[in-house]
Amino acid sequence: MSDIEVIETLWMDMPDGTRLAARLWLPPGARQTPVPAILEYIPYRRRDFTRLRDESMHPHFAHAGYAAVRVDIHGSGDSDGLMEDEYSHLEIQHGHDVVQWIAAQDWCDGNVGMFGKSWGAYNSFQVAATRPPALKAIAPVMGCDDRWTEDIHFYGGVLANDNFWWGSIMQVLNAKPPDPAIVGEYRWLDIWKDRLEGMRFWPAMWLEHQTHDEVWRRGSICENYDDVQVPVYFFGGWADLFRDTPFRIAENLKGPVKVLMGPWAHLYPHEGAPGPRADFLGEVIRFWDTHLKGIDTGLWDEPRLRFYLQDSVPPAGQHETRPGTWVEEAEWPSPNVSDTVLWLNEGALAATPQPGAAMSICSPQTFGSAGGDMCSFAIPGDMPVDCRLDAGGALVFRSEPLDAAVEILGQPSIALNVAADRAQAFVAALLVDEALNGAQTLITRGFCNLMHRDSDAAPTPVVPGEVMEVTVPLHGIAYRVPEGHRLMVQIASAYWPILWPAPEPVTLIIAPGTSALHMPLRKAPADAPEPRPLPEPLKSTSKRPVTKVRDGSMTRQIVTDLMTGTQVNRVFIDGGVFGPIGQIRLNDTGTMMGDISERIYAIHPDDPLSARATMDQDFVMERDDWKVRIKASSEQTATKTDFYLKSKIECWSGDDLIFEDAQDYFIPRNGM
């Protein structure tokens, strides 16, 4: 690919005067014969943080005949401005303007596609909803159409601890400076100081919005699916957070929608884990060829939806691969999927309801220890382990051993008749695969804030003892439960450390035979053709341009203090959110980076008000005589009435402390 022209920094002047920094890969001859363009538009610093990942994709697009453009959002990397929030109105307006700016360049033929993972998936949807004329197709990877229902902030209307953790990660990312080699050795420090002075602590900012208000509606294309009219190819993974979006967009978007859901964590499919990996680059180029070049690739002659139906596996905190089978569906809802109902009887799941004496559970606040992370990055220990670790902390309902395997495809749910003894409470519901030896593998899970039973916008206190009819949606999944295994439902009133606890210990009461599990079971037609073989990604033959400076390390553990009873969940990573990378040097720029973090969640099993989350981070970036260090710490606790958050950040240029800030935040609880 040496014939590709690479422009390290391309400046884009926005109509409002903001200047955005981009990196550009051009195929041979593009300046003489314009080509379509592919845009990735994210805040994760093209010059350093995502440089290696960018180079695993964008040169391939250029080699396939596309101008590949990687843009830093305003306030990130080397772009002007301040990052005021995720998916701001300005970000989306700039995204619209960037598409049109690219289309007007002499190397672009006027046709633009957009893609990105996570943040880039969100704003691909959001920019498409503004309908820039040049945008012809989008390929969101592991993102979402509904920021309230399926983002990092709230799960089932319950406060997620990811709101604190990821917001703390963004605290350091937002504090990183531009590169002096790009913006100028006399300007970079002034730009950096302006960013630091204008920063807000996002976990507190987000926590000020504890209901489904305009903040979460902004950027949620589910508010009006008709806004997105371009073709969409969505890529996702069952170990990722965003598992419901593919079903919703397949049902609700009016334009062409194609879906590929693999077993993957929060990674691009060509780097996907657990395996098997898929040739994302080849597949998305096929999509671009169809909609940006007008080539008949046969893409839409195939069934629109492809899912990896995972086989049962023993529970483990990490899986190198998941056995399973690719299956296809032409539409969603699918005529091949039907609702099967199992009733929650006394300790049993059965096809018919059986009344009985009321059952109750007051879960220990530590229930959920087996849950791993809601969003796996495929690093050791972040996937759910054996659910028996939480044994005794939930109401348990078991089926008889299955007399035949069943295939679950879609979004299960539980229609629950439940009462609680406190004005504020939530339900955690788990669907589990119990093997012949008793091992319990999580299939999927879901949550329901009982104060949101009538409205996500206006929480209503629970009337203690009053029976409520609620639906607990479980996350979408494709999973084959083998013959002889049992299905199990667990119902609990806590789920730590994934969810922040209710202010008081809660007892849930359920009458047998009044609640039911709804499972979408798939039965493939006898004449269903085998799916087209999905190629594995090509193995790279080029040496990655990076030098290891320091080996990384990682610790993930749960420790119980046997004197006090307090349980501590600790995650220590020398290397950043993608695992124990340690310290590295980017060979082509000479920039060295290191990122060390420690995340701790502590709680006493009897006391929800003992819950405490902390995050400590230490980031270093240097090159020659330029050195930057950022230290940040954050904390979240709560009383019955308020959340209390603390943030502190210190920034050094060389040996000089150039910025220091510490803030306390008191935020009233509103149904959380």
Side-chain angles (χ1 to χ4, degrees):
M1 298 186 183
S2 58
D3 53 350
I4 293 169
E5 180 184 356
V6 182
I7 292 85
E8 178 67 23
T9 301
L10 175 72
W11 293 109
M12 298 180 170
D13 293 315
M14 296 291 97
D16 65 358
T18 303
R19 190 172 69 157
L20 302 182
R23 197 174 181 207
L24 174 66
W25 292 260
L26 285 178
R31 296 191 183 276
Q32 292 75 43
T33 304
V35 296
I38 307 301
L39 167 64
E40 184 182 17
Y41 174 60
I42 53 177
Y44 299 135
R45 302 178 61 89
R46 84 211 186 288
R47 175 75 170 162
D48 40 60
F49 185 61
T50 65
R51 190 177 189 88
L52 298 179
R53 191 180 76 183
D54 296 346
E55 290 174 348
S56 78
M57 297 186 292
H58 289 274
H60 289 272
F61 299 149
H63 189 67
Y66 294 92
V69 192
R70 165 67 176 86
V71 181
D72 285 337
I73 291 171
H74 70 278
S76 70
D78 301 313
S79 293
D80 292 349
L82 173 69
M83 283 284 292
E84 63 269 34
D85 195 1
E86 56 183 10
Y87 324 125
S88 68
H89 291 297
L90 182 59
E91 174 189 332
I92 304 311
Q93 181 59 55
H94 280 167
H96 177 107
D97 296 336
V98 164
V99 169
Q100 295 305 108
W101 187 95
I102 292 171
Q105 302 311 298
D106 59 7
W107 37 261
C108 181
D109 68 2
N111 296 296
V112 180
M114 191 171 177
F115 85 107
K117 179 174 74 72
S118 196
W119 195 305
Y122 274 88
N123 65 26
S124 291
F125 278 130
Q126 295 157 6
V127 170
T130 70
R131 302 185 193 177
L135 186 63
K136 299 302 194 297
I138 63 171
V141 182
M142 299 183 185
C144 184
D145 60 337
D146 187 338
R147 297 182 60 215
W148 171 260
T149 299
E150 201 179 12
D151 202 346
I152 60 164
H153 309 286
F154 303 95
Y155 303 143
V158 188
L159 177 63
N161 281 332
D162 284 352
N163 184 83
F164 169 80
W165 169 70
W166 186 251
S168 296
I169 292 288
M170 290 303 301
Q171 180 187 23
V172 170
L173 186 67
N174 290 340
K176 293 179 182 179
D179 193 319
I182 303 301
V183 303
E185 60 178 312
Y186 299 109
R187 292 185 63 238
W188 78 274
L189 190 56
D190 290 337
I191 296 172
W192 189 24
K193 289 179 179 178
D194 287 343
R195 284 186 186 175
L196 296 172
E197 292 290 347
M199 281 198 321
R200 295 184 65 188
F201 183 53
W202 285 9
M205 180 179 73
W206 292 332
L207 199 49
E208 292 171 353
H209 301 272
Q210 298 172 39
T211 61
H212 191 184
D213 62 14
E214 181 55 34
V215 165
W216 311 117
R217 292 189 175 95
R218 185 191 73 224
S220 295
I221 62 160
C222 65
E223 296 293 316
N224 186 6
Y225 283 113
D226 289 347
D227 285 340
V228 177
Q229 298 186 343
V230 296
V232 175
Y233 198 160
F234 182 91
F235 298 81
W238 299 126
D240 183 51
L241 176 61
F242 308 109
R243 287 164 283 179
D244 299 333
T245 290
F247 298 107
R248 289 194 297 262
I249 63 172
E251 183 173 358
N252 292 294
L253 287 181
K254 301 300 188 292
V257 175
K258 195 166 177 67
V259 166
L260 178 65
M261 289 292 292
W264 312 301
H266 198 65
L267 301 166
Y268 275 102
H270 64 290
E271 301 175 334
R277 296 178 176 180
D279 183 15
F280 167 73
L281 299 175
E283 193 70 5
V284 78
I285 287 170
R286 190 168 171 241
F287 178 62
W288 301 136
D289 284 349
T290 301
H291 294 289
L292 302 185
K293 292 183 178 179
I295 299 172
D296 183 4
T297 65
L299 185 80
W300 297 106
D301 295 334
E302 305 162 3
R304 295 189 304 137
L305 315 173
R306 180 188 287 238
F307 304 104
Y308 192 72
L309 184 67
Q310 300 177 111
D311 288 337
S312 174
V313 291
Q318 182 183 29
H319 295 280
E320 293 296 326
T321 188
R322 286 295 301 260
T325 307
W326 289 104
V327 299
E328 292 181 325
E329 296 291 345
E331 59 185 328
W332 199 264
S334 168
N336 302 322
V337 177
S338 59
D339 182 37
T340 295
V341 178
L342 293 177
W343 291 87
L344 277 61
N345 296 328
E346 187 173 354
L349 284 175
T352 57
Q354 296 177 355
M359 304 168 291
S360 65
I361 186 68
C362 181
S363 301
Q365 300 305 312
T366 52
F367 183 85
S369 299
D373 290 339
M374 280 296 288
C375 181
S376 169
F377 284 81
I379 59 177
D382 74 354
M383 294 183 183
V385 295
D386 198 322
C387 293
R388 288 180 294 185
L389 181 65
D390 290 319
L395 289 175
V396 175
F397 306 87
R398 278 186 177 85
S399 73
E400 292 296 318
L402 299 179
D403 55 13
V406 297
E407 297 182 357
I408 304 170
L409 176 61
Q411 297 163 275
S413 64
I414 298 177
L416 196 63
N417 282 5
V418 61
D421 67 340
R422 294 289 185 267
Q424 190 167 325
F426 66 79
V427 173
L430 283 63
L431 179 59
V432 175
D433 167 14
E434 186 177 55
L436 298 176
N437 66 358
Q440 297 174 4
T441 300
L442 180 70
I443 299 174
T444 185
R445 55 195 164 191
F447 315 104
C448 178
N449 186 337
L450 296 177
M451 286 188 66
H452 287 232
R453 63 196 181 278
D454 298 319
S455 169
D456 282 322
T460 307
V462 172
V463 178
E466 181 178 275
V467 176
M468 298 163 281
E469 296 182 5
V470 298
T471 297
V472 185
L474 310 185
H475 286 293
I477 197 65
Y479 191 100
R480 181 187 288 112
V481 187
E483 178 184 351
H485 285 213
R486 297 174 188 261
L487 288 165
M488 175 191 294
V489 167
Q490 297 182 3
I491 301 292
S493 59
Y495 203 63
W496 179 266
I498 285 176
L499 301 179
W500 194 264
E504 300 176 280
V506 172
T507 297
L508 300 176
I509 303 100
I510 299 174
T514 62
S515 302
L517 166 68
H518 291 259
M519 284 193 304
L521 297 188
R522 178 179 187 269
K523 187 173 180 57
D527 58 350
E530 287 292 320
R532 171 180 63 88
L534 192 62
E536 292 192 8
L538 297 175
K539 287 185 168 52
S540 175
T541 57
S542 61
K543 185 177 180 181
R544 291 174 75 84
V546 62
T547 298
K548 178 67 69 71
V549 177
R550 183 188 69 240
D551 288 335
S553 63
M554 179 174 177
T555 300
R556 188 178 182 109
Q557 58 191 185
I558 301 174
V559 176
T560 299
D561 186 324
L562 295 179
M563 293 184 291
T564 67
T566 297
Q567 184 185 93
V568 174
N569 293 62
R570 176 177 179 261
V571 180
F572 171 87
I573 305 177
D574 180 355
V577 296
F578 291 103
I581 298 167
Q583 192 171 49
I584 62 170
R585 179 185 295 109
L586 301 171
N587 294 342
D588 51 356
T589 66
T591 304
M592 187 163 57
M593 298 183 295
D595 188 356
I596 297 174
S597 67
E598 183 179 52
R599 182 171 91 225
I600 293 178
Y601 296 121
I603 199 166
H604 190 281
D606 299 332
D607 183 9
L609 299 183
S610 68
R612 181 173 180 262
T614 64
M615 184 83 175
D616 290 294
Q617 302 172 79
D618 193 342
F619 172 81
V620 175
M621 182 164 58
E622 57 185 294
R623 182 181 60 240
D624 301 327
D625 59 352
W626 175 58
K627 182 175 181 179
V628 165
R629 184 182 183 194
I630 302 169
K631 287 189 67 177
S633 62
S634 51
E635 178 181 88
Q636 180 173 308
T637 56
T639 66
K640 284 186 178 182
T641 57
D642 298 278
F643 291 104
Y644 175 39
L645 287 83
K646 299 164 64 175
S647 70
K648 182 179 181 180
I649 191 163
E650 301 168 287
C651 301
W652 288 266
S653 174
D655 295 327
D656 298 327
L657 180 65
I658 60 106
F659 182 79
E660 183 176 16
D661 183 64
Q663 299 287 339
D664 293 352
Y665 306 87
F666 292 89
I667 302 170
R669 298 177 78 144
N670 182 16
M672 293 295 158

